């Protein structure tokens, strides 16, 4: 019941922040899987266009207060055809501490441009001796 309440509150909060809940529901299962132990209840990933930058909008929620929660193993990938992807660079992990949620709506990473870009990362939560990560792949964007 507690997890259901967290999910409902998270969806309402994201809706108020102009995030499309349908997109979030499509991303909940991620694309890379992970070791699900129940620490992460909802996660969301989106990227948007900047001038020679990709803006990462990521959220990771837990039903309980975590020692550490956030994103790691961040890979910025590029493609000339929006189909075949290669890694351009990696980015530093970003965490929140002693909280049940991680939210960052403007994590910026500089890129070369002239390609489609997407972000592949892990949503991460750690509490005591237990950790969980859930892989996720963002939408793709063209950056000139």
């Amino acid at each position: 019941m507690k997890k259901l309440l967290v999910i409902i509150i998270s969806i309402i909060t994201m809706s108020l922040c102009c995030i499309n809940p349908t997109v979030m529901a499509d991303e909940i299962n991620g694309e890379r899987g992970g070791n699900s132990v129940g620490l992460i209840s909802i996660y969301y990933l989106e990227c948007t266009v900047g001038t020679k930058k990709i803006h990462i909008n990521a959220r990771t929620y837990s039903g309980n207060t975590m020692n550490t929660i956030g994103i790691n193993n961040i890979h910025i990938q590029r493609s000339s055809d929006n189909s075949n992807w290669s890694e351009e660079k990696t980015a530093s992990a970003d965490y929140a501490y002693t909280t049940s949620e991680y939210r960052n709506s403007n994590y910026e990473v500089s890129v070369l441009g002239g390609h489609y870009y997407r972000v592949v990362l892990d949503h991460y939560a750690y509490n005591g001796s237990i950790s969980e990560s859930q892989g996720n792949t963002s939408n793709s964007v063209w950056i000139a």
Side-chain angles (χ1 to χ4, degrees):
M1 186 64 173
K2 189 175 184 180
K3 287 184 180 184
L4 180 60
L5 182 60
V6 169
I7 291 170
I8 291 169
I9 291 171
S10 298
I11 290 172
I12 291 169
T13 301
M14 287 184 201
S15 296
L16 295 174
C17 296
C18 303
I19 297 173
N20 184 342
T22 305
V23 173
M24 189 188 86
D26 290 342
E27 294 296 332
I28 285 177
N29 292 325
E31 291 187 15
R32 297 181 1 197
N35 58 340
S36 180
V37 294
L39 298 181
I40 297 172
S41 57
I42 295 177
Y43 52 97
Y44 172 82
L45 176 62
E46 171 188 51
C47 65
T48 58
V49 177
T51 304
K52 300 283 186 191
K53 292 182 181 181
I54 190 166
H55 297 266
I56 302 169
N57 179 2
R59 292 185 168 87
T60 310
Y61 295 96
S62 177
N64 299 303
T65 300
M66 297 288 111
N67 296 110
T68 306
I69 190 167
I71 55 174
N72 61 16
N73 300 321
I74 304 167
H75 300 271
I76 311 303
Q77 297 181 337
R78 71 176 179 213
S79 171
S80 57
D81 61 5
N82 204 21
S83 192
N84 297 300
W85 297 92
S86 62
E87 186 169 307
E88 180 168 309
K89 62 173 35 178
T90 59
S92 299
D94 194 31
Y95 301 115
Y97 301 95
T98 318
T99 184
S100 62
E101 66 182 61
Y102 163 85
R103 297 170 64 173
N104 192 335
S105 60
N106 200 23
Y107 186 108
E108 295 181 348
V109 179
S110 297
V111 294
L112 297 173
H115 293 87
Y116 291 97
Y117 285 88
R118 71 180 186 181
V119 178
V120 178
L121 57 72
D122 290 329
H123 297 269
Y124 175 80
Y126 168 78
N127 199 30
S129 62
I130 301 170
S131 67
E132 179 177 0
S133 60
Q134 292 292 327
N136 206 348
T137 302
S138 75
N139 57 305
S140 62
V141 293
W142 174 261
I143 298 180

